[in-house]
Amino acid sequence: MSENTASKMHFMLKSTPPRATFQQDKTEEERNIMGKHIVYWTDKQKQGIALVFGPVRNPSEPHGLAIIEVENEAQVPKLIAEDPGVMNGIMTTEFHPMFAVLANQHA
C-alpha cells in the first residue's frame, strides 16, 4: 500500500431515489437537479475523492452507489449534505466504512 493511500479511509455511499420509477419518470426539475448531482460528483472524482460513482440498475431497488476516499470520517456527512440531490430532497444517502482494495496499491 502506498503511503498516500495508507492514511486514507474509504466509504460506500448508497443514494436512494424518491421512487422506484425515478429513472423513467423524472420531472424536468428533478432532471436538472440530477444534472447538478452528476456535476458535483464528477468534480469530487477530479479531486480524487470519488473513486467511482453511478446508478445501479437493479429493477426492484434502483439506487446510486459511490466509493469515496477521504482523510477522515467527519468529511463524509459534509460531502453528502452538499450533494444537490440531497440538498433538494430528491434522494437520501447512507454511508458505511469499507476496506477498499485498490489496483494501484503496491508496497
Side-chain angles (χ1 to χ4, degrees), residues 60-104:
S60 63
E61 188 191 342
H63 59 276
L65 180 74
I67 306 298
I68 64 170
E69 182 176 83
V70 293
E71 298 291 331
N72 60 67
E73 186 170 349
Q75 292 175 267
V76 182
K78 185 177 189 300
L79 286 166
I80 292 170
E82 293 175 353
D83 179 335
V86 173
M87 288 174 59
N88 288 282
I90 63 169
M91 69 175 57
T92 57
T93 302
E94 62 184 86
F95 68 95
H96 303 281
M98 69 177 290
F99 295 106
V101 178
L102 305 176
N104 295 327

Side-chain angles (χ1 to χ4, degrees), residues 8-38:
K8 303 279 185 152
M9 299 179 74
H10 297 92
F11 292 86
M12 182 277 304
L13 280 59
K14 179 182 178 186
S15 297
T16 305
R19 57 194 175 277
T21 57
F22 185 70
Q23 284 297 329
Q24 294 78 33
D25 63 10
K26 284 188 280 252
T27 67
E28 189 63 32
E29 180 182 4
E30 289 170 333
R31 192 171 288 109
N32 290 336
I33 293 167
M34 289 307 293
K36 292 174 185 175
H37 164 78
I38 293 166

